[in-house]
Amino acid sequence: MNKSITSICAILLLFGTSACSSVTNQEAETPTTQTQVVQHPTEQQNDSGSTGKQNQSESQKKISNYLETECQKAFSPYYQLLEYQMTDYQETAVNGSVEATFAYKLIYKNYEKDPDTVDYIKEAKANGDPHYQQLYNEYGQPKEMNFELKAVLDPASSISLYSNTSPKGAPKWESVVMTDYILSK
């Protein structure tokens, strides 16, 4: 009986190993889009120990650095910024400038503090709001902001940023700065 169990375990282990190998080979053959992920406080490293920024074009590095700086200026007074992700990056040369379109994700969370000291949560508690507990629980959890952007890098390395205001159909690009995404009273 023990030999039967041992044989079955060996067969399952062999089958599992070959299945994993097959998945890995399929993934290696699948084309990928260039993705840049920067994690803070340190950058994420790949298997060779280098960061993802080394695989980027010079234009993409400039745009990525610009966006990170602009996000810090706009959002860090309100949120702890955890991660920046640029995906589906495509660039073209237009009249001496570089136009790049991409998806941009910013992962953030509220600064650490007692949720019951935050005005909107205090108000929900005082008013007996049925969503109070949910607001309280979600306060310190990571959240994400997603953008569909176009950056234009002119020959003098000045960057103009545009947001797609028409998510369905043909893109409609309008000039934007990251502080446009901060709600004000």
Side-chain angles (χ1 to χ4, degrees):
M1 176 95 172
N2 281 342
K3 286 185 179 183
S4 297
I5 293 174
T6 304
S7 298
I8 290 172
C9 288
I11 290 170
L12 290 174
L13 181 61
L14 182 62
F15 177 72
T17 304
S18 67
C20 289
S21 173
S22 173
V23 169
T24 303
N25 289 338
Q26 288 174 354
E27 288 172 352
E29 295 169 5
T30 305
T32 59
T33 3
Q34 186 175 7
T35 301
Q36 179 259 336
V37 176
V38 180
Q39 292 193 2
H40 287 277
T42 59
E43 293 188 76
Q44 186 173 8
Q45 295 185 342
N46 63 23
D47 293 338
S48 66
S50 63
T51 61
K53 286 191 175 183
Q54 293 176 344
N55 296 328
Q56 298 176 344
S57 69
E58 283 301 311
S59 300
Q60 187 176 1
K61 288 177 189 175
K62 288 178 183 178
I63 293 167
S64 177
N65 290 336
Y66 170 81
L67 280 171
E68 190 173 328
T69 300
E70 292 303 305
C71 286
Q72 285 288 331
K73 285 184 212 174
F75 302 114
S76 66
Y78 311 101
Y79 303 111
Q80 181 180 351
L81 305 181
L82 305 174
E83 189 174 326
Y84 309 86
Q85 297 178 3
M86 181 184 286
T87 57
D88 300 327
Y89 183 86
Q90 298 176 4
E91 67 180 49
T92 56
V94 178
N95 299 328
S97 295
V98 173
E99 289 188 7
T101 58
F102 50 91
Y104 197 71
K105 182 187 295 186
L106 177 62
I107 311 258
Y108 68 98
K109 71 176 197 168
N110 292 307
Y111 286 108
E112 298 293 329
K113 65 193 254 183
D114 179 4
D116 278 330
T117 64
V118 177
D119 289 340
Y120 72 93
I121 296 175
K122 285 191 322 191
E123 185 178 317
K125 184 176 184 180
N127 294 336
D129 188 318
H131 302 290
Y132 160 74
Q133 192 61 49
Q134 179 182 357
L135 294 171
Y136 182 94
N137 293 343
E138 291 177 352
Y139 180 77
Q141 298 302 311
K143 298 171 186 77
E144 62 184 55
M145 288 184 236
N146 293 287
F147 309 93
E148 183 179 0
L149 300 173
K150 175 170 81 171
V152 177
L153 178 63
D154 70 19
S157 292
S158 176
I159 297 176
S160 300
L161 195 60
Y162 301 87
S163 176
N164 182 9
T165 59
S166 177
K168 294 183 179 180
K172 182 179 177 189
W173 300 106
E174 291 189 16
S175 182
V176 68
V177 292
M178 295 313 285
T179 54
D180 290 344
Y181 295 104
I182 299 293
L183 297 177
S184 60
K185 294 181 179 185

